[in-house]
């Protein structure tokens, strides 16, 4: 079952490293937040009582706040006070429900972290141990110097072949170049500072 | 009652006193007075008038006439009480000493600035304060200037880092495109230019091609022009200083100053290593393309 052919190993490593690069680029905290938001939406739609109650109370809170801000405290003092009291009461209830829900959030975070580890870290370490001597592919003869082929065969592969280590290094190198280009394109440009302007401001 | 009658009274009382003293029996009268009180045990006191070395009545008279007993003593001069040493202390200087103590400066006590600071030994605390204020003001201005200079330098460093990144990105795109073109040309034109999963024995024997020659030529051209441009724009330092080894060396030089003298060596080595790393990156790109094509095959 664990005896995968070289193309499968090659593909597996490629996919895992792409996933790892994507997660690293997005950032784990952002990923956890997005997963939690998705879970909240799904859970409230599925009818989980705590989420339904929390969503309902939040909606009421927004409504009361909107109504409270629309009236003048001086002109309609009684109504404003009543709304204010309701708002405070609802805030306390929302806070209690949020605390109850936060324990679920910790569970969701744990699950997501486990999934990320299972998806990105475990396969790499497994392959490094199990397929360390597997030749993933061979260079075409005559296109590379012998020294180069020997260097690219390190550490466990025969000369002329490419092993797991070199393949992972190659994939990581290409992916990091792509990420670098992508980040450069979205990065804001930095203008050259004007020394005359900075000394004028003295 | 007029003063004259008061004077007359005093004269009469004085005469009576003297007459009594001339009668003698001073000790007896003294002991009688002392025994009248609640305290006892003073019966054997000897009056000073009857002591062998006692003063004569005339001397006593002279002593006593200066300050009559029934009169209030003359009000003493208060300034005499305040002055410890009338020959040295000056009231102004005294206040000066008190002020010096309050201000806590290094001023010598008892000297005023009006007396001259020719020897430089004394200082006016006010002048000291003003001097300190001027010094701090100058320091603030200098600090402000330094802060603006530092701000300009940090902005310039950021600009250099951005410029270095910009040229790196441009050359990266050029490298990827050129090497892809070289790979694609050989892949489409040479049937033997294929990565094989089965093994080398089964692969077609390739004719001698100049794939690697072209690859190395491209690399030499790209790397040399990249570093030439960085050098021309003064970005080579940004290139090396951003490396973690350079930062590690800077940190180490704070603890071991001898490390700082190898900075130039480290910078040069990092520049050469930059060239080597570009070569390795492009080689890995070719390996990546070969791996992808092996999946297609």
């Amino acid at each position: 079952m664990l005896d995968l052919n070289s193309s499968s190993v090659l593909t597996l490593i490629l996919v895992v490293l792409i996933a790892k690069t994507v997660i690293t680029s997005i950032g784990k905290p952002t990923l956890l937040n997005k997963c939690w938001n998705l879970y909240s939406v799904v859970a409230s739609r599925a009818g989980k009582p705590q989420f339904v109650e929390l969503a309902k109370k939040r909606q009421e809170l927004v409504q009361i706040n909107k109504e409270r801000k629309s009236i003048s405290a001086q002109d309609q003092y009684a109504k404003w006070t009543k709304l204010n009291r309701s708002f405070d009461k609802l805030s306390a209830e929302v806070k209690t429900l949020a605390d109850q829900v936060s324990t679920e959030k910790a569970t969701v975070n744990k699950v997501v972290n486990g999934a990320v580890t299972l998806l990105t870290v475990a396969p790499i370490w497994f392959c490094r141990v199990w397929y360390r001597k597997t030749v993933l592919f061979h260079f075409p003869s005559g296109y590379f110097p012998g020294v180069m082929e020997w260097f690219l065969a390190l550490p466990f592969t025969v000369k002329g072949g490419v092993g797991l280590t070199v393949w992972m290094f190659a994939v990581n190198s290409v992916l990091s170049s792509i990420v670098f280009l992508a980040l450069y394109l979205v990065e804001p440009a930095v203008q050259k500072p004007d020394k005359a302007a900075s000394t004028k401001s003295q | 009652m007029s003063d004259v009658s008061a004077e007359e009274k005093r004269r009469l009382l004085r005469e009576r006193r003297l007459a009594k003293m001339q009668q003698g029996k001073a000790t007896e009268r003294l002991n009688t007075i002392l025994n009248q009180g609640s305290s006892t045990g003073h019966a054997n006191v000897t009056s000073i008038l009857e002591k062998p070395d006692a003063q004569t009545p005339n001397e006593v008279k002279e002593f006593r006439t200066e300050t009559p007993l029934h009169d209030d003593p003359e009000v003493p001069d208060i300034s005499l009480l305040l002055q410890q040493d009338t020959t040295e202390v000056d009231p102004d200087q005294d206040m000066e000493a008190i002020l010096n103590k309050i201000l806590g400066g290094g001023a010598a006590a008892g000297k005023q600035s009006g007396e001259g600071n020719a020897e430089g030994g004394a200082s006016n605390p006010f002048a000291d304060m003003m001097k300190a204020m001027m010094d701090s003001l100058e320091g603030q201005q200098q600090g402000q200037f330094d802060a603006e200079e530092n701000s300009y330098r940090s902005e310039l460093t950021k600009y250099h880092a951005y410029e270095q990144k910009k040229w790196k990105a441009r050359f990266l795109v050029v490298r990827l495109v050129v090497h892809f073109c070289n790979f694609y040309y050989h892949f489409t034109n040479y049937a033997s230019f294929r990565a094989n999963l089965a093994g080398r024995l089964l692969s077609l024997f390739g004719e001698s091609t100049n794939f690697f020659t072209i690859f190395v030529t491209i690399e030499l051209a790209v790397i040399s022009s990249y570093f030439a441009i960085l050098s021309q724009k003064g970005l080579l330092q940004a290139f090396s200083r951003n490396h973690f080894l350079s930062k590690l060396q800077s940190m180490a030089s704070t603890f071991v100053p001898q490390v700082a003298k190898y900075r130039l060596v480290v910078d040069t080595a990092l520049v050469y290593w930059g060239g080597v790393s570009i070569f390795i990156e492009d080689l890995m790109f070719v390996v990546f393309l070969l791996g992808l094509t092996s999946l297609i095959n």
Side-chain angles (χ1 to χ4, degrees):
Chain A
M1 189 187 82
L2 295 174
D3 203 14
L4 299 170
N5 58 15
S6 50
S7 60
S8 306
V9 175
L10 205 130
T11 315
L12 174 69
I13 294 296
L14 181 65
V15 168
V16 164
L17 287 177
I18 289 172
K20 191 177 177 186
T21 307
V22 167
I23 289 168
T24 310
S25 304
I26 292 172
K28 222 179 201 181
T30 311
L31 184 70
L32 289 172
N33 272 339
K34 289 202 185 303
C35 289
W36 169 247
N37 291 340
L38 182 67
Y39 178 81
S40 304
V41 166
V42 168
S44 58
R45 280 190 190 168
K48 220 169 178 185
Q50 280 175 339
F51 286 91
V52 169
E53 189 68 25
L54 182 64
K56 187 178 144 198
K57 291 223 183 277
R58 274 189 178 147
Q59 214 169 357
E60 277 179 42
L61 201 68
V62 166
Q63 191 61 36
I64 288 173
N65 195 34
K66 202 173 166 185
E67 208 179 327
R68 188 178 65 161
K69 282 184 179 173
S70 66
I71 62 171
S72 166
Q74 289 174 352
D75 296 339
Q76 294 172 280
Y77 180 72
K79 189 177 178 186
W80 186 88
T81 314
K82 190 178 169 188
L83 285 171
N84 204 33
R85 243 181 266 133
S86 311
F87 181 84
D88 291 341
K89 187 180 162 203
L90 263 176
S91 296
E93 285 173 12
V94 162
K95 189 176 177 303
T96 312
L97 277 170
D99 287 341
Q100 288 171 6
V101 158
S102 69
T103 52
E104 273 201 60
K105 187 178 181 183
T107 311
V108 168
N109 285 348
K110 210 187 273 185
V111 167
V112 171
N113 276 329
V116 166
T117 305
L118 206 64
L119 183 65
T120 60
V121 178
I124 291 173
W125 282 105
F126 170 74
C127 292
R128 270 183 181 157
V129 171
W130 201 260
Y131 299 107
R132 66 184 183 280
K133 290 186 182 174
T134 307
V135 177
L136 298 180
F137 60 90
H138 296 266
F139 286 116
S141 299
Y143 287 95
F144 289 91
V147 174
M148 200 60 60
E149 287 185 351
W150 175 85
F151 174 72
L152 291 173
L154 292 172
F156 299 112
T157 324
V158 293
K159 185 178 163 185
V162 171
L164 197 69
T165 308
V166 172
W167 175 241
M168 282 170 60
F169 188 72
V171 172
N172 276 327
S173 172
V174 170
L175 289 175
S176 67
S177 297
I178 294 170
V179 168
F180 171 78
L181 278 175
L183 288 176
Y184 169 73
L185 288 171
V186 298
E187 191 185 343
V190 176
Q191 301 299 325
K192 188 173 183 181
D194 190 7
K195 189 161 188 183
S198 68
T199 50
K200 241 188 216 174
S201 62
Q202 288 180 13
Chain B
M1 297 291 288
S2 64
D3 287 336
V4 177
S5 63
E7 283 290 323
E8 191 63 29
K9 270 189 187 175
R10 277 201 290 271
R11 188 184 63 78
L12 286 169
L13 286 170
R14 207 180 298 133
E15 283 172 2
R16 279 184 207 164
R17 216 175 16 254
L18 284 171
K20 271 191 184 174
M21 281 177 193
Q22 283 167 3
Q23 283 175 9
K25 298 180 187 178
T27 301
E28 196 181 320
R29 279 203 304 281
L30 182 60
N31 287 328
T32 307
I33 291 166
L34 290 173
N35 284 332
Q36 282 174 358
S38 58
S39 60
T40 56
H42 296 283
N44 293 325
V45 172
T46 308
S47 173
I48 192 170
L49 297 174
E50 293 182 356
K51 279 187 181 170
D53 56 350
Q55 290 176 346
T56 60
N58 287 334
E59 288 173 3
V60 170
K61 181 182 173 182
E62 284 175 7
F63 176 75
R64 288 187 184 232
T65 49
E66 287 176 6
T67 56
L69 290 174
H70 58 276
D71 285 338
D72 291 329
E74 290 179 5
V75 176
D77 192 0
I78 296 171
S79 62
L80 292 176
L81 291 176
L82 286 176
Q83 287 176 4
Q84 297 293 328
D85 188 357
T86 54
T87 57
E88 290 179 11
V89 177
D90 181 8
D92 293 335
Q93 284 193 354
D94 205 20
M95 288 304 292
E96 188 65 34
I98 293 167
L99 277 173
N100 284 335
K101 279 183 193 172
I102 291 167
L103 292 173
K111 277 202 176 179
Q112 290 183 3
S113 60
E115 294 177 7
N117 294 328
E119 292 175 8
S123 60
N124 191 353
F126 181 70
D128 279 344
M129 273 164 53
M130 286 303 293
K131 190 173 181 296
M133 277 170 62
M134 291 299 292
D135 286 344
S136 67
L137 199 64
E138 279 174 13
Q140 275 177 12
Q141 284 177 350
Q142 185 64 31
Q144 193 180 3
F145 177 74
D146 287 342
E148 284 169 0
E149 185 70 24
N150 285 341
S151 160
Y152 169 73
R153 277 186 199 155
S154 70
E155 281 179 19
L156 194 65
T157 307
K158 279 183 200 167
Y159 172 72
H160 284 155
Y162 175 76
E163 281 288 296
Q164 192 258 324
K165 215 186 276 187
K166 182 174 82 177
W167 284 105
K168 184 181 174 183
R170 285 175 178 174
F171 272 88
L172 178 63
V173 168
V174 166
R175 276 157 45 204
L176 293 178
V177 166
V178 170
H179 287 306
F180 181 79
C181 291
N182 184 29
F183 183 89
Y184 184 77
Y185 170 76
H186 284 84
F187 186 78
T188 52
N189 289 309
Y190 297 91
S192 58
F193 189 72
R194 300 282 187 276
N196 204 304
L197 295 170
R200 287 197 107 179
L201 291 173
L202 299 176
S203 64
L204 297 167
F205 288 104
E207 51 237 312
S208 67
T209 62
N210 50 3
F211 169 80
F212 199 73
T213 310
I214 297 171
F215 176 84
V216 171
T217 309
I218 293 168
E219 282 299 296
L220 285 173
V222 163
I223 292 170
S224 56
S225 53
Y226 176 58
F227 283 106
I229 287 173
L230 284 188
S231 172
Q232 192 187 23
K233 296 208 174 277
L235 300 174
L236 265 184
Q237 204 179 35
F239 176 83
S240 60
R241 291 292 159 86
N242 282 336
H243 201 273
F244 87 95
L245 277 177
S246 181
K247 289 175 185 171
L248 192 68
Q249 193 209 15
S250 301
M251 257 174 32
S253 61
T254 57
F255 301 106
V256 184
Q258 290 89 345
V259 174
K261 65 181 178 185
Y262 294 109
R263 194 172 188 96
L264 192 60
V265 173
V266 170
D267 285 348
T268 310
L270 285 174
V271 168
Y272 283 114
W273 173 247
V276 171
S277 64
I278 288 172
F279 179 81
I280 292 173
E281 275 176 26
D282 293 341
L283 190 63
M284 290 300 116
F285 178 62
V286 171
V287 170
F288 177 76
L289 289 175
L290 279 172
L292 284 184
T293 53
S294 71
L295 287 174
I296 296 166
N297 290 341

